[in-house]
Amino acid sequence: MKPVQPAAKSAITSDICRSAQVARPRGSGFALGKDHVLDGTRRARGKSRPVEHDFRAMPVASPFAVASTNGASAAGPAEMPGAARDPPGSVFVREWFHGSLSRVDPGMDTLAIRRPDDFHVHLRDGDVLRAMAPHSARVFQRVLVMPNLTPPITTVAEMVAYRGRISSAAPELDTCMTFKLMPWMRAEHIDAFHRAGAIAAKLYPAGVTTNSADGISDIADVWPALDAMARNDLPLCVHGELPGAETLHMEAAYLPVLDRVVQAFPRLRIVLEHVSTELGVEWVLAQADNVVGTITAHHLVLTLDDVIGAKIQPHNFCRPVAKQRKDREALRSAALSGSPKFFFGSDSAPHLVGDKECRLGCAGVGSAPVAMQSLADVFDRADRLEAFTSVHGARFYRLELNDGHLTLDRKAATVPGVLDGVVPFLAGTTLPWSIRA
Ligand SMILES: [Zn+2]
């Protein structure tokens, strides 16, 4: 993580404050009132001066221009008819593979947004790390790095060494490091990770996904660690699926476990990662402001039919598995709503082709190289895309907003069939948006 520069911070803050539009998404069902602010005043880690923006100022108008072919600005908050007011399910009636779902003004040919963050990525290790990390670095300023290596990141030394390997593979990528929460961890372990700069701990229920056999079987086992995390204000990232439950119900079945955590540690910041169901969205919305959710690009695009429909499509198989249309529509409504309770985490989890196309194929979608292009085709407004990918997550993690930007052009491009040994998300399909080099 690059250190926060106070001068840059205040410049960004004042820019945002000048351009911020306090635009409450009408009809979205989200109360963005005073009690929707995490702390009332945001405070950068280790800084004495409060950051002067809060979650009420959502959505934030982009400080970057959004150009259109007729030269008119199209970024005016709350002015695009229908935005965030359509009930779930009324908009995306066409299947993804039958054409673009974009609701962006057809006259708009450029999207320029604040440089995005990816607050959930599996960079892997070794050759895959060296191949895939540069793809993330080309698009994202920061990444929240998942710790489920073999062996997992469970010590400060391992975390520091892993950060070094990532920096070697992609020196320009800012890394937000996590560690894997283990049943044996106590306050001294949490304190050590916190001092070493860990941004969050990741909880994997035992056996629920890749490299999670040594995960948490009984949530009570991590009570001492969670107590220390709450004391250190260190967020908890959760893979919220209950092992042993039926696949389509694993997320819903885990929500009562999370209820116990919320009740025991009401101030602990919690991220329900890769929310995949309507129930998951509703659960996040029902919680206080310190509980949020990440949403992937592929869960905004896929349904179960894209995994086990007419053909088996192993490269669309992930955990949690893509669900029903009503779930996808709930996720889209949440992501497009402008609610600060949802932000982007790609959960890009690349596997080599041979590990996907085999008898026991691995779970995971390698989406990082195409995530932003596919998001651009799902979002209806540049400012909400920017809020989702570049603002809400940074504020939750109390990080400075990025000061660079990313430009996408309405220029059709076909996703390669294989990229560095990995079949990327939407391989072989043509997306209407391209990232400007
Ligand atoms: Zn993941």
Side-chain angles (χ1 to χ4, degrees):
M1 180 64 49
K2 290 178 182 172
V4 170
Q5 299 297 322
K9 178 173 75 128
S10 58
I12 291 171
T13 302
S14 59
D15 278 348
I16 286 293
C17 287
R18 273 198 296 273
S19 61
Q21 306 289 321
V22 184
R24 184 171 173 164
R26 284 166 289 176
S28 66
F30 300 118
L32 300 184
K34 195 162 192 155
D35 59 0
H36 209 85
V37 182
L38 272 181
D39 290 328
T41 303
R42 318 300 316 135
R43 190 175 294 272
R45 192 182 298 277
K47 298 290 179 184
S48 58
R49 184 172 174 274
V51 179
E52 293 165 356
H53 48 242
D54 63 40
F55 286 170
R56 282 169 290 181
M58 290 288 100
V60 175
S62 172
F64 302 107
V66 177
S68 65
T69 48
N70 60 14
S73 169
E79 291 180 358
M80 183 173 286
R85 290 198 292 275
D86 305 298
S90 69
V91 177
F92 300 103
V93 294
R94 286 184 296 164
E95 282 303 297
W96 173 263
F97 294 109
H98 293 172
S100 169
L101 297 172
S102 179
R103 298 175 68 217
V104 173
D105 180 349
M108 192 185 304
D109 59 5
T110 299
L111 292 170
I113 62 170
R114 190 181 291 277
R115 195 166 180 85
D117 297 313
D118 180 355
F119 282 112
H120 184 136
V121 68
H122 300 267
L123 291 177
R124 309 301 193 202
D125 214 341
D127 290 343
V128 177
L129 167 65
R130 285 186 285 275
M132 300 311 291
H135 291 296
S136 289
R138 271 191 280 277
V139 179
F140 301 103
Q141 176 81 41
R142 283 180 296 228
V143 290
L144 187 77
V145 182
M146 291 296 116
N148 60 333
L149 306 179
T150 307
I153 304 298
T154 58
T155 68
V156 167
E158 289 163 345
M159 183 182 78
V160 171
Y162 187 35
R163 171 181 264 173
R165 297 197 295 279
I166 297 168
S167 295
S168 296
E172 65 277 36
L173 195 59
D174 288 353
T175 48
C176 303
M177 301 305 292
T178 67
F179 59 95
K180 184 172 177 178
L181 201 57
M182 304 297 284
W184 47 263
M185 286 184 175
R186 295 295 178 265
E188 60 266 30
H189 303 107
I190 303 300
D191 293 346
F193 275 113
H194 183 58
R195 284 194 303 272
I199 296 292
K202 180 70 185 287
L203 189 159
Y204 291 97
V208 79
T209 190
T210 304
N211 299 339
S212 65
D214 57 354
I216 305 303
S217 300
D218 184 347
I219 193 68
D221 291 343
V222 293
W223 243 232
L226 296 183
D227 187 57
M229 289 172 60
R231 176 169 47 77
N232 283 310
D233 198 18
L234 190 66
L236 172 70
C237 299
V238 181
H239 184 120
E241 290 193 298
L242 188 71
E246 289 181 68
T247 293
L248 292 182
H249 305 302
M250 290 175 78
E251 184 171 283
Y254 199 75
L255 298 178
V257 178
L258 287 178
D259 283 333
R260 290 177 58 194
V261 176
V262 168
Q263 285 162 13
F265 305 99
R267 295 181 63 81
L268 178 65
R269 285 186 286 156
I270 299 172
V271 186
L272 177 57
E273 298 290 342
H274 39 58
V275 183
S276 68
T277 60
E278 184 178 27
L279 285 173
V281 168
E282 290 172 353
W283 183 86
V284 170
L285 288 171
Q287 308 306 311
D289 304 316
N290 55 311
V291 179
V292 299
T294 57
I295 299 177
T296 76
H298 51 277
H299 285 102
L300 292 172
V301 171
L302 304 175
T303 68
L304 189 58
D305 283 349
D306 298 310
V307 186
I308 54 167
K311 303 273 188 181
I312 297 288
Q313 299 190 63
H315 300 288
N316 289 341
F317 171 58
C318 59
R319 286 288 184 190
V321 72
K323 304 293 194 311
Q324 298 175 269
R325 292 184 190 188
K326 69 179 177 60
D327 299 301
R328 181 180 63 178
E329 284 153 7
L331 294 169
R332 287 173 170 170
S333 290
L336 272 68
S337 71
S339 166
K341 288 178 80 71
F342 297 98
F343 55 86
F344 179 62
S346 74
D347 195 19
S348 183
H351 290 281
L352 295 174
V353 176
D355 293 327
K356 295 286 283 181
E357 299 178 6
C358 58
R359 190 173 64 86
L360 296 172
C362 295
V365 173
S367 63
V370 297
M372 288 305 298
Q373 298 93 311
S374 57
L375 286 177
D377 206 30
V378 171
F379 274 71
D380 56 345
R381 286 172 31 170
D383 60 330
R384 294 234 167 104
L385 174 62
E386 180 180 73
F388 181 67
T389 61
S390 317
V391 177
H392 295 165
R395 288 185 172 164
F396 175 80
Y397 283 109
R398 301 178 183 169
L399 301 169
E400 200 48 65
L401 299 185
N402 298 324
D403 53 6
H405 69 280
L406 181 78
T407 302
L408 297 110
D409 295 308
R410 189 186 289 280
K411 182 177 156 191
T414 301
V415 181
V418 180
L419 207 55
D420 296 317
V422 172
V423 175
F425 180 45
L426 297 173
T429 64
T430 298
L431 295 174
W433 292 93
S434 299
I435 291 173
R436 188 179 295 179

